[in-house]
Amino acid sequence: MIKEEKEASLSGVGRLYLCATPIGNLEDITLRVIRTLKEVDLIAAEDTRGSIKLLNHFDIHTPMTSYHEYNRIEKAHTLIAKMLAGSNVALITDAGTPGISDPGEDLVRLSMEAGIEVTSLPGACACVTALTLSGLPTRRFCFEAFLPADKKERRQILEELKNETRTIILYEAPHRLVRTLTELYETLGDRRATVCRELTKKHETIFATTLEKALAWYQENEPRGECVIVMEGRSRAEMKREEQQQWETLTIPEHVALYEAQGMERKEAMKAAAKDRGISKREVYAALV
């Protein structure tokens, strides 16, 4: 199939194939991915030592090269040169879909900028798998991957998540799980959460609970295996109640001034204050004069 695509290409430029690989269970790979990995000229792998086990399992003998966080830009240019010369390259990550919380996004961007066609072969993805198992709302969600290691940046992200109304998905390593649950509980307060561990593997566990209870459990029971934390977003009704409590401590002129400080014109500010307080604009005007 790849050979036919190559012959049909007038430019003679190769393609980049983003190939999703299993996140645990080796049966979670598509026939299309297996065929593509056999047919491309080169496989770029985040972890060649781990990926060789996958390739051996499916009797794939395509040459492999490393592409990871520490060579992602330099190696990307090398791979792009090969594709411009006509080679087809498949990108695989440690586990799951390339480009999701890994350096693959840089290769995709640079390849597109070079005029190389990129196609994605869908398959396993830990964040989506965990979301569907969480029992929490799935219509709207945000994915934060691993929280930053830098303390200041980490604190900023946690503060942003405090008022996030969508379901939140995080990745975490077992040795950092307690620390992260502690920070989430202290910053976001207690809320429903599901901790998914060892997804698709023999010892997969889905712990539907709350942040407080999850923290207490893992303080007593050592976490093992890669984890995905799925948390409910903040309730809009709760946010509205808090805003209302804030308004109740303000006089009407202070309430209007608050909106004006945010850049609103006087009439807009009066209208917004009236809506907040459930009164007419005339009453707001009377309080101002």
Side-chain angles (χ1 to χ4, degrees):
M1 186 68 174
I2 289 179
K3 183 179 179 182
E4 293 171 3
E5 292 171 351
K6 196 170 184 178
E7 290 174 350
S9 173
L10 297 178
S11 66
V13 175
R15 288 184 177 183
L16 175 63
Y17 295 84
L18 309 179
C19 296
T21 53
I23 58 176
N25 193 314
L26 288 180
E27 293 181 355
D28 295 331
I29 189 169
T30 68
L31 295 175
R32 183 183 174 202
V33 167
I34 294 173
R35 175 180 55 76
T36 299
L37 292 178
K38 289 181 177 181
E39 293 182 358
V40 293
D41 301 294
L42 182 66
I43 297 172
E46 186 178 10
D47 178 6
T48 54
R49 291 174 299 179
S51 296
I52 193 64
K53 299 175 184 176
L54 176 74
L55 300 189
N56 288 340
H57 182 81
F58 290 105
D59 196 29
I60 298 169
H61 304 287
T62 305
M64 184 165 50
T65 188
S66 64
Y67 178 77
H68 48 70
E69 178 67 24
Y70 303 104
N71 71 353
R72 67 185 191 279
I73 301 301
E74 179 184 356
K75 192 59 170 285
H77 290 297
T78 301
L79 294 172
I80 287 169
K82 289 181 180 294
M83 287 184 280
L84 290 174
S87 294
N88 288 297
V89 176
L91 177 67
I92 59 176
T93 183
D94 273 354
T97 301
I100 302 296
S101 189
D102 80 0
E105 62 180 303
D106 292 305
L107 180 57
V108 171
R109 173 177 53 81
L110 292 169
S111 295
M112 287 182 168
E113 290 174 358
I116 293 168
E117 186 175 349
V118 180
T119 187
S120 182
L121 284 60
C125 184
C127 62
V128 174
T129 303
L131 175 65
T132 59
L133 287 170
S134 69
L136 296 171
T138 60
R139 188 178 71 85
R140 299 173 63 250
F141 63 92
C142 69
F143 174 57
E144 280 293 337
F146 291 93
L147 289 173
D150 179 80
K151 288 184 178 180
K152 184 178 180 182
E153 188 180 359
R154 190 180 180 92
R155 174 53 53 188
Q156 289 174 339
I157 296 295
L158 287 168
E159 286 297 322
E160 290 174 6
L161 292 178
K162 187 185 293 186
N163 291 321
E164 175 59 67
T165 59
R166 296 171 294 178
T167 300
I168 302 164
I169 307 172
L170 301 174
Y171 286 164
E172 195 49 277
H175 64 280
R176 293 193 300 263
L177 182 63
V178 170
R179 172 197 169 188
T180 296
L181 287 173
T182 300
E183 292 176 324
L184 290 170
Y185 177 61
E186 291 175 348
T187 307
L188 280 62
D190 198 21
R191 57 179 69 184
R192 288 192 299 159
T194 300
V195 179
C196 302
R197 193 179 62 81
E198 294 287 80
L199 285 169
T200 78
K201 299 177 183 177
K202 181 179 180 180
H203 299 292
E204 173 184 281
T205 58
I206 310 300
F207 186 19
T209 180
T210 65
L211 286 177
E212 182 181 23
K213 290 178 180 177
L215 175 57
W217 171 263
Y218 286 113
Q219 283 175 331
E220 297 295 328
N221 300 271
E222 182 183 0
R224 293 182 181 179
E226 296 300 313
C227 302
V228 184
I229 305 168
V230 187
M231 298 173 292
E232 68 176 342
R234 192 172 180 198
S235 163
R236 292 182 183 275
E238 179 188 348
M239 293 172 66
K240 187 69 176 177
R241 283 195 300 270
E242 285 192 6
E243 289 177 1
Q244 191 168 353
Q245 288 172 355
Q246 179 189 13
W247 302 328
E248 289 171 354
T249 64
L250 300 175
T251 65
I252 291 178
E254 289 172 339
H255 197 158
V256 173
L258 181 67
Y259 280 122
E260 288 180 315
Q262 296 172 9
M264 282 190 183
E265 297 292 334
R266 170 58 68 96
K267 286 185 178 179
E268 285 183 282
M270 290 171 61
K271 183 178 180 180
K275 182 179 179 181
D276 289 343
R277 303 173 87 94
I279 60 178
S280 67
K281 286 189 291 182
R282 180 173 296 182
E283 290 175 273
V284 173
Y285 176 78
L288 292 175
V289 300

